[in-house]
Amino acid sequence: MAKTETKNIDLQQSIEIPKKIPLLPIRDIVVFPYMVLPLFVGRETSIKAIEVALEGNRMIFLTSQKDINVENPSPSDLYTVGTVGVIMRMLKLPDGRIKILVQGGAGAKTVKFLQKEPFYQVEIKTYPDAATAINLETEALMRNVKEQIEKLVSFGKVILPDIMVVIENVDDPGKLADLAVANMGLKVEQAQEILEIADPVARIKRINEALGKEIELLSMQQKIQADVRGEIDKTQREYFLREQLKAIQRELGETDDRSEDMRELRDKIKEAKMPEKAAKEAEKQLRRLERMHPDAAEASMTRTYIEWLAELPWSKATKDNLDLKAAHKILEEDHYDLEKVKERILEYLAVRKLKEKMKGPILCFVGPPGVGKTSLGKSIARSLGREFVRISLGGVRDEAEIRGHRRTYVGALPGRIIQGIKTAGYNNPVFMLDEIDKIGADFRGDPSAALLEVLDPEQNNSFSDHYIGLPFDLSRVMFITTANMTDPIPGPLKDRMEIIRLSGYTEQEKLGIAKSYLVPRQLTEHGITEKNISIPDKPLLQVIAQYTREAGVRNLEREIAHLCRKVARKIAEGATGMFTITSANLHTYLGVPKFMPEVEREQDEIGVVTGLAWTETGGDILYIEATTMRGKGALTLTGHLGDVMKESAHAALTYVRSRAEKLGIPPDVFGKTDVHIHVPAGAIPKDGPSAGVTMATALASVFTNAPVRRDIAMTGEVTLRGRVMPIGGLKEKTLAARRAGINTIILPKENEKDLDDIPKNVRQNMKFIFAETMDEVIANALRKKLPRRIAHKRLPGRSRATH
Ligand code: ADP
């Protein structure tokens, strides 16, 4: 931009401006009054115009070109409004051009082009001398403009101090406008627009606006620059600080934390002795991690993953030390009785010993809670010298719980199998999968399919967990599963397993277990000895009968712990001597008995039969009630019965109807009677076919008016022809009957062979009736028919039995 200076000559007043004047087209700038600027002139026509002007009164009309690229502008290429200037000095340059110094004078407008050759000569009309009266608004405007110019300077705009002084002191709006605009460095079009405003006040208003915009622009620009600088400063600062920190750590002989960390991880990976593929993956992830910012979310995810890889026992195994004699000893040490089970386990171990990579079946311990399934697993691990881990599959419905979540999930983790292996710390633990009968399948995938892969010796040498994403060899793991019932175990899983049943314990067995295992164990756990406490058989049996009701011994162990705790506290408080538990003082330790022996039903009743059920927690007795009322032959079943049980009720009714004549029931009764069978407790779901004989007996009783013997319990499936079919859970059911004080049991003939399962001492006190047909059952269970009248009187009065 051309430098400008101002001289205080007022052209408008001192010099007469001629009407006819040479014109000098200028490019790239608009000349304003009071502006002094040098111009370089090269164009032939322009030089001519200057020469002519210099010959006369040195005045020349300066107008801007609309387009600076036009070499020889025609009149239409020029703005009409311009400024009359006085050439103050002229210098011829060696290259033929001339340099002039001009000062802007009055603004004027081209009226007419008088000549175009050899230079432009025009007739002009100057703007009328507008001596404006300065009112309040103009004054305010002027002040504003002055302030804005100062602000502009403070934002870094270069305006010479001399000019600033002039601007500060000027009091004519037109003059201030011209001075301001001359120094603002506006674009040609903008400047021209302002020049064309004749009214000085309007002009200054326009300039005020332009200044405001300019200031805003500059402040924005400054802010952007400041931000950018701030950003750069911050990263540079951090970089320098980090470098300094490193230098300081080096000086102090400390190593950089991160690289130390990475080294540790790398060592861990090496130590894990992974298979090649896994090692490569771990190394790759580690390199990725090194490149990441340590605080990035992904870095911690990657890190966790690498740690998982490094901590899995890829090649760490315990050495099997299988000595069958020792194993036998350990099993005996830990468990009372269970001879068959122990034998089977020893056989299993023996085969394993002979055949290292045995692809044999997987053991599945089935039985009620607290019968020692877990502790058998532990003993197996102990006798093999292996680690023991246990996971529960109860309620697992999601495949991801077995197999893990893919790493893309937030908070993803490996599945329970891999977690178990990590906990074990070795790749060949005894791995117990508890409650395999409690897994379910739903929309989240079928966990049993994943389990199948885990348990299949053909596939499990390359088990793939979604999180780990690499095959892991599970073939050396010894899996053992447990379940309460076999029925709910998915078929394909059951096929792979060898079921070993553990039934509930009799009172005598429980006593044995308590004396030789539970009591000594609880004594040591509570820090007391046999010198402090004595629990004779009688009170112990009382604990079994009155404080627990279970097939296993879990609660029994808890109650014994309770006794020990009480005594331990007394000793800790300073008491000495021996505490003997007796029947009389038992309740002071354990509180009032929780269970009383079953109250026998007071009398034989019509339509109420004692059945025996096999439940998850062992055996139980079940009072099945039937009653009739006038109706149309409908059968109602209540008590939360499953489909199988409902069907067997229908079968029982059909059987009774088909035998009506033989039983002495008038054949037309069925069409006029509705039957209702109810199985308490109504809220507990029940299923299975083994209540068939019981329901048939109840029906036979109500239709014949013969009371059922209350001292008999029964179990068995019934066919339409009245054949009695075998059932399971004989031992559990027998024990349940015994607990209920019933000594005679009707059983299917085909179950006779299973009597061996029942301990001798139990068998000796019981009477078993083996029935092949329903007729035999009825013959044994029903008393003599009562006359109809009496029967109906007795029915409403009977007390409802509980169990
Ligand atoms: P489960 O896994 O079948 O539910 P646990 O193995 O947890 O049962 O057994 C519960 C407790 O009873 C354990 O402390 C266990 O040692 C003990 N126990 C069960 N059966 C026997 C037994 N036959 N001999 C010795 N202790 C037993």
Side-chain angles (χ1 to χ4, degrees):
M1 198 188 90
K3 264 195 180 165
T4 58
E5 6 172 320
T6 310
K7 284 185 184 160
N8 266 342
I9 322 167
D10 202 332
L11 282 175
Q12 277 167 326
Q13 276 155 33
S14 56
I15 302 166
E16 180 82 10
I17 297 171
K19 282 243 171 78
K20 192 176 151 197
I21 190 168
L23 179 145
L24 180 64
I26 48 176
R27 302 198 234 200
D28 205 15
I29 192 162
V30 177
V31 180
F32 281 89
Y34 312 106
M35 203 165 164
V36 174
L37 78 160
L39 292 171
F40 292 87
V41 184
R43 287 190 283 214
E44 199 59 36
T45 46
S46 300
I47 293 175
K48 274 262 164 52
I50 289 166
E51 280 169 355
V52 172
L54 285 176
E55 280 163 15
N57 58 5
R58 304 176 79 96
M59 286 192 193
I60 194 156
F61 188 47
L62 305 159
T63 56
S64 303
Q65 248 173 258
K66 289 177 184 165
D67 181 353
I68 59 164
N69 296 318
V70 177
E71 197 50 40
N72 294 309
S74 64
S76 63
D77 289 327
L78 299 169
Y79 289 110
T80 47
V81 177
T83 306
V84 178
V86 178
I87 301 171
M88 297 164 74
R89 215 174 290 157
M90 194 273 284
L91 187 68
K92 286 207 159 130
L93 295 175
D95 58 1
R97 292 188 303 158
I98 53 173
K99 180 186 174 188
I100 53 167
L101 190 67
V102 288
Q103 181 180 11
K109 196 175 175 178
T110 316
V111 180
K112 197 165 156 197
F113 275 79
L114 299 174
Q115 91 175 39
K116 292 182 186 166
E117 296 282 336
F119 59 91
Y120 286 137
Q121 182 103 302
V122 290
E123 186 189 323
I124 55 164
K125 186 167 177 278
T126 46
Y127 283 159
D129 190 8
T132 2
I134 296 176
N135 59 18
L136 222 56
E137 192 196 352
T138 330
E139 177 76 40
L141 265 173
M142 284 170 64
R143 256 194 225 173
N144 214 22
V145 167
K146 285 178 189 173
E147 269 169 26
Q148 300 224 62
I149 289 173
E150 261 168 42
K151 219 178 208 171
L152 220 55
V153 173
S154 77
F155 274 132
K157 183 107 198 157
V158 187
I159 297 178
L160 290 178
D162 296 359
I163 299 177
M164 285 305 292
V165 174
V166 176
I167 291 177
E168 197 57 43
N169 294 318
V170 80
D171 48 11
D172 173 61
K175 201 169 170 188
L176 177 63
D178 290 336
L179 278 168
V181 80
N183 286 290
M184 269 167 69
L186 293 175
K187 284 209 197 95
V188 173
E189 297 90 59
Q190 274 177 310
Q192 182 70 33
E193 186 211 319
I194 291 172
L195 185 66
E196 287 180 12
I197 302 171
D199 175 25
V201 178
R203 195 153 10 132
I204 204 154
K205 251 189 201 155
R206 179 72 190 83
I207 284 171
N208 195 26
E209 270 170 41
L211 276 169
K213 208 161 136 199
E214 187 71 15
I215 285 171
E216 213 168 286
L217 220 80
L218 279 176
S219 79
M220 182 78 74
Q221 200 178 341
Q222 215 166 48
K223 186 168 173 290
I224 292 171
Q225 270 174 0
D227 283 355
V228 171
R229 204 174 306 128
E231 201 51 44
I232 293 172
D233 283 356
K234 202 172 140 219
T235 37
Q236 267 178 353
R237 209 174 106 88
E238 268 179 24
Y239 174 78
F240 281 125
L241 284 175
R242 240 187 262 285
E243 287 302 306
Q244 274 176 347
L245 191 70
K246 272 191 205 162
I248 292 170
Q249 280 172 334
R250 259 198 306 277
E251 253 346 273
L252 289 174
E254 290 169 6
T255 37
D256 170 16
D257 260 4
R258 188 160 153 85
S259 51
E260 173 84 344
D261 216 32
M262 293 298 144
R263 201 169 36 249
E264 265 174 29
L265 266 180
R266 188 158 275 131
D267 289 349
K268 262 193 192 169
I269 294 175
K270 276 211 194 86
E271 275 165 31
K273 295 208 182 70
M274 305 180 191
E276 201 187 321
K277 206 171 154 195
K280 260 194 193 148
E281 177 66 21
E283 194 50 48
K284 189 174 125 200
Q285 295 292 345
L286 187 64
R287 277 199 304 273
R288 272 189 64 209
L289 179 63
E290 277 170 333
R291 283 197 303 271
M292 283 179 207
H293 190 277
D295 297 336
E298 211 193 335
S300 81
M301 268 162 62
T302 310
R303 206 201 148 87
T304 317
Y305 176 63
I306 297 173
E307 277 172 356
W308 266 101
L309 287 187
E311 281 167 22
L312 277 182
W314 297 91
S315 48
K316 241 168 91 187
T318 47
K319 208 166 158 343
D320 277 359
N321 68 15
L322 183 55
D323 171 354
L324 283 176
K325 274 210 187 95
H328 189 195
K329 200 166 144 249
I330 287 173
L331 283 173
E332 289 297 336
E333 248 168 45
D334 295 347
H335 298 92
Y336 175 89
D337 199 20
L338 296 176
E339 290 312 325
K340 272 194 197 164
V341 176
K342 287 179 192 161
E343 228 166 82
R344 180 63 193 97
I345 290 173
L346 287 172
E347 284 165 21
Y348 182 85
L349 294 179
V351 176
R352 247 198 129 87
K353 183 174 178 159
L354 296 180
K355 197 157 178 279
E356 177 102 5
K357 277 235 155 183
M358 169 174 142
K359 295 197 169 169
I362 285 158
L363 295 181
C364 176
F365 297 137
V366 177
V371 291
K373 301 185 292 295
T374 312
S375 81
L376 278 172
K378 281 188 190 152
S379 301
I380 293 176
R382 192 150 78 92
S383 56
L384 283 168
R386 291 190 180 197
E387 285 297 316
F388 178 80
V389 277
R390 172 173 169 239
I391 62 167
S392 174
L393 299 173
V396 169
R397 300 188 162 277
D398 189 349
E399 192 196 351
E401 291 202 43
I402 306 287
R403 229 192 244 288
H405 283 288
R406 290 182 201 283
R407 259 176 297 141
T408 42
Y409 281 83
V410 176
L413 274 182
R416 296 197 192 187
I417 302 291
I418 289 294
Q419 291 192 19
I421 295 287
K422 186 184 154 195
T423 316
Y426 294 95
N427 63 15
N428 63 341
V430 171
F431 201 130
M432 183 165 259
L433 302 166
D434 261 340
E435 305 197 302
I436 198 159
D437 52 340
K438 305 272 185 341
I439 54 170
D442 63 15
F443 61 95
R444 282 164 292 193
D446 185 356
S448 67
L451 261 192
L452 216 56
E453 195 187 316
V454 172
L455 297 180
D456 185 351
E458 301 289 338
Q459 292 184 47
N460 70 6
N461 57 0
S462 58
F463 171 69
S464 82
D465 182 279
H466 287 330
Y467 179 84
I468 299 294
L470 295 161
F472 189 90
D473 185 1
L474 292 176
S475 64
R476 309 183 64 179
V477 178
M478 179 172 176
F479 286 104
I480 297 177
T481 59
T482 80
N484 291 134
M485 309 275 262
T486 50
D487 294 340
I489 305 177
L493 276 178
K494 210 175 345 182
D495 285 350
R496 290 213 163 51
M497 301 190 294
E498 171 161 345
I499 307 280
I500 297 180
R501 285 186 198 278
L502 289 93
S503 40
Y505 297 118
T506 64
E507 288 183 3
Q508 285 305 318
E509 284 169 338
K510 285 183 188 174
L511 181 67
I513 295 172
K515 283 206 309 197
S516 351
Y517 299 89
L518 307 182
V519 174
R521 190 156 61 208
Q522 289 306 324
L523 288 184
T524 31
E525 247 164 56
H526 287 84
I528 50 182
T529 65
E530 285 165 4
K531 292 200 180 93
N532 304 119
I533 184 172
S534 139
I535 316 176
D537 287 2
K538 202 168 159 231
L540 208 46
L541 276 170
Q542 217 170 328
V543 174
I544 293 167
Q546 297 180 7
Y547 291 87
T548 68
R549 173 156 299 170
E550 57 179 350
V553 291
R554 244 187 227 169
N555 288 325
L556 177 59
E557 186 163 18
R558 227 168 270 153
E559 294 298 337
I560 291 170
H562 201 155
L563 282 176
C564 297
R565 204 161 54 232
K566 293 262 169 170
V567 171
R569 179 171 166 194
K570 285 188 182 167
I571 290 166
E573 282 171 353
T576 48
M578 165 80 108
F579 292 88
T580 307
I581 312 290
T582 63
S583 299
N585 71 10
L586 187 59
H587 70 274
T588 61
Y589 290 93
L590 299 183
V592 290
K594 293 179 187 146
F595 305 97
M596 291 312 277
E598 297 282 342
V599 202
E600 245 189 85
R601 286 184 291 146
E602 289 155 17
Q603 57 197 22
D604 300 336
E605 291 170 55
I606 290 174
V608 183
V609 189
T610 311
L612 294 172
W614 187 21
T615 66
E616 278 184 20
T617 52
D620 215 336
I621 58 165
L622 206 63
Y623 293 119
I624 291 185
E625 305 172 326
T627 192
T628 55
M629 55 224 129
R630 205 164 295 151
K632 290 185 193 144
L635 173 63
T636 310
L637 298 166
T638 53
H640 214 315
L641 311 184
D643 287 342
V644 179
M645 200 156 173
K646 282 183 189 159
E647 282 167 14
S648 80
H650 281 281
L653 182 61
T654 308
Y655 160 76
V656 173
R657 287 180 67 168
S658 69
R659 305 293 278 181
E661 201 176 333
K662 186 152 190 285
L663 294 170
I665 308 168
D668 58 336
V669 167
F670 297 103
K672 292 186 275 178
T673 320
D674 281 354
V675 186
H676 186 162
I677 298 179
H678 178 66
V679 188
I684 301 167
K686 311 161 192 80
D687 204 1
S690 69
V693 293
T694 323
M695 291 192 283
T697 308
L699 290 171
S701 163
V702 286
F703 279 110
T704 58
N705 288 312
V708 186
R709 280 176 58 176
R710 65 176 188 279
D711 56 346
I712 281 189
M714 61 180 71
T715 176
E717 188 175 344
V718 70
T719 68
L720 292 182
R721 300 286 153 90
R723 264 176 55 80
V724 177
M725 308 293 286
I727 44 79
L730 195 64
K731 182 178 175 191
E732 256 77 30
K733 289 177 175 177
T734 311
L735 293 179
R738 212 174 119 89
R739 271 204 303 271
I742 294 173
N743 292 325
T744 310
I745 306 181
I746 303 180
L747 294 171
K749 175 91 176 147
E750 282 179 49
N751 280 112
E752 197 169 356
K753 61 178 183 344
D754 303 326
L755 269 196
D756 285 351
D757 291 347
I758 302 169
K760 249 204 196 101
N761 60 347
V762 177
R763 247 185 296 164
Q764 276 162 2
N765 301 324
M766 301 287 284
K767 189 179 164 205
F768 298 99
I769 299 170
F770 293 99
E772 258 178 301
T773 64
M774 201 54 222
D775 295 346
E776 290 167 59
V777 176
I778 289 172
N780 281 295
L782 296 192
R783 292 200 186 278
K784 272 222 192 73
K785 273 186 215 170
L786 293 175
R788 203 156 263 277
R789 195 168 36 83
I790 302 176
H792 278 286
K793 233 194 224 161
R794 294 185 69 142
L795 257 179
R798 71 182 158 79
S799 60
R800 192 181 167 281
T802 53
H803 72 104

